[in-house]
Amino acid sequence: MSDDIRNERTGERWVYSPTVRDHFFHPRNLLLDEPTEGSFDASGVVGSPACGDVMHVWLKIDKATERVSDMKWKTFGCGSAIAATSMFSVMVSENGGMPLADAVQLRPQDVMKRLGGLPNRKIHCSVLVDKAFRKAANDWFRATGQVERIQVDGARVVDPATGVTDKDIEEAVLEGAVTLEDVQKKLKAGVGASEEVRTEVEQLIRFYKEKYYG
Amino acid sequence: MEMRTVYMDHAATTPLDPRVLQVMLPYLKEEYGNPSALYERGRAAKDALVDSRETVGKLLGAHADEIIFTASGTESDNLAILGAARAHEAKGKHVITSAVEHHAVLGCVEQLAKEGWRTTVLPVDEYGRVKPEDLAAALAEDTTVVSIMLANNEIGTVLPLREYAKVIRDWKKAHNRGPLEAPFLHTDACQAAGALSLDVAKLGVDLLTVNGGKIYGPKGVGVLYVRRGIKLRPIVFGGGQEMRLRSGTENVAGIVGFAKAFELAQADREAEGNRLAALRDMLIGGIQARIPKVVLNGHPAERLPNNVNVSILDVEGEAVLLYLDAVGISAATGSACDSASLDPSHVILAIGRPYEFAHASIRFTLGRSSTEADVAYVLDQLPPIVEKLRAISPVKMQLDGTIVGNASAFVSDGRPHWERNVILNEVKNHSSVGTGPTKNLQDPSLRSG
Ligand code: FES
């Protein structure tokens, strides 16, 4: 079994860190049986547009304090998805539970930091749990009548000529695109053909690059 | 305690046979001469080249002057496809290939499409074989190259190449074309080289690719058989080595090693093939007996003796590989999560399986070091790993591909990117080249092998 292996010269990490391996081989807060009606307060399921995997999370939320008292999950995903979800579940439920308002602010980077890093092409796996969690939070807000707190990242068309949205660009970046050309290739569309659209597309690429890799 | 290690990824690459290393060593040490030089050292190298070419030619049932040495199987594929297509472009600009080819072939076809060629990617049946009648229907006046592999690297299916050769022969007869006129049949035989006869006359091919790294030979050596009289345009220019088709000082040690490795592999082919086929069937049978919801990918009988490829439903392949690695077993997967491009295996999709089956595919490829004890070890270790990962998985699939439960996971979140691309293409109808699926073509993938 190899531990974290780094290229001395480039510092590139190509095998998962010991923490990642620990959470992968001993996942915390797994839901092993099917949940029974009413045993959780909220749930969310998403699929990963990058790799096609599926993530399901369930939450128990303290009604009085609105802290996350428990988070359980299942995933059809790779080692990174399993480790990131396991770590995420620890982070939101440790120390008596994180206030939901704070938990929805957790960023994929926070999870990665605790994991000791993930390879670049695996960053979308930690975004997956993040999205599933926010969906479950929305589920809770809906159930408790707090509709104004529901957050949906709506897609906005940025390039009318191709119908490409900001979400398409976000996903392309998560799949590894770093330049306008990469994005065009990933989306198989000549996005950003006109001058003004191109500037906006390039800005979005920079924004998402910074958000996830910066 | 020493952990047991079981290498079951021989389709990716094989270790170097010590006997091969022995014959290579002199050419890495004292016999360093350039074969083009006329002094004694150069002549020794030249002799070694001549002998190796002779050996390889004999093993293929070909003449020595039909053997071109290159630096890889990928380069041989490139020289064959790009070289033949460009040399014969006056006859037409149409090439045909199959949906299950290695990226080395698909990449060439994609490149030709960019340069204005018409390209056809033939579909395959549920086992990964092109139907001869589909090939017949695709052949046209402007077709110059047909490239179809002899055996598939991922799912192990052996394709009926002789039938394809006959289709092309019949077509040529009907169109008054001689054997040295287009269309030409190329085959990538890299995976088949240790297992099947590669007699080019019996196969009926005009161009054939083999490489060293899959037959216990050195990496970085490829061979292209080019039938006498067929013109190719080089893709590498310079000093005119290899009958002007492949410039660059010859890799003498590698070539000598390749010839030896190929000789050993072919001599051993039948006995070793029978031994591996028995182990293969034991592994397939054992997995199916011990693990529910498993499908075999590839043909049950017409398959390479060393290839086992199964989709173990509801588990993701990369996760399985990590658990296997932790107990010393090396295998491969067609899962998107394990590829650099995050694309699922194009081969498993091409045989008509949903992408979840590709995610769940595990490939074990046996080799000379494999024993019955290795197979037993894998059969002991695999079931508990699958059981654990199935407990983690929210996906519950049926063997017929229907999903119980999470069908809505993607609805508000967009589809996986490879599906999105297809949808986008259909909507825009901007796929101007190709009559077959062209998705996933340009992403080189880690799972090549
Ligand atoms: S979940 Fe598919 S790559 Fe991580």
Side-chain angles (χ1 to χ4, degrees), chain A residues 51 53 77-78 80-81 122 124-125 128, chain B residues 337 342:
Chain A
C51 68
D53 287 328
C78 73
S80 303
K122 291 293 187 180
H124 72 272
C125 318
L128 190 57
Chain B
C337 305
L342 296 172

Side-chain angles (χ1 to χ4, degrees), chain A residues 16 48 50-54 75-82 121-122 124-126 128, chain B residues 316 318 335-338 342 359:
Chain A
Y16 296 139
S48 160
C51 68
D53 287 328
V54 175
T75 188
F76 174 61
C78 73
S80 303
I82 291 172
R121 70 187 178 88
K122 291 293 187 180
H124 72 272
C125 318
S126 60
L128 190 57
Chain B
E316 190 283 312
E318 197 224 43
S335 170
C337 305
D338 190 44
L342 296 172
H359 267 51

Side-chain angles (χ1 to χ4, degrees), chain B residues 24-42:
Chain B
M24 288 174 70
L25 279 176
Y27 298 94
L28 292 167
K29 294 188 194 162
E30 56 272 18
E31 297 295 355
Y32 54 77
N34 186 325
S36 302
L38 55 73
Y39 41 76
E40 167 61 26
R41 248 204 191 95

Side-chain angles (χ1 to χ4, degrees), chain A residues 119-136:
Chain A
N120 265 358
R121 70 187 178 88
K122 291 293 187 180
I123 286 174
H124 72 272
C125 318
S126 60
V127 175
L128 190 57
V129 54
D130 190 66
K131 290 204 165 141
F133 182 83
R134 269 188 276 138
K135 233 172 159 182

Side-chain angles (χ1 to χ4, degrees), chain B residues 140-153:
Chain B
E141 289 285 341
D142 58 347
T143 311
T144 51
V145 181
V146 176
S147 182
I148 303 179
M149 67 198 337
L150 180 51
N152 185 269
N153 50 311

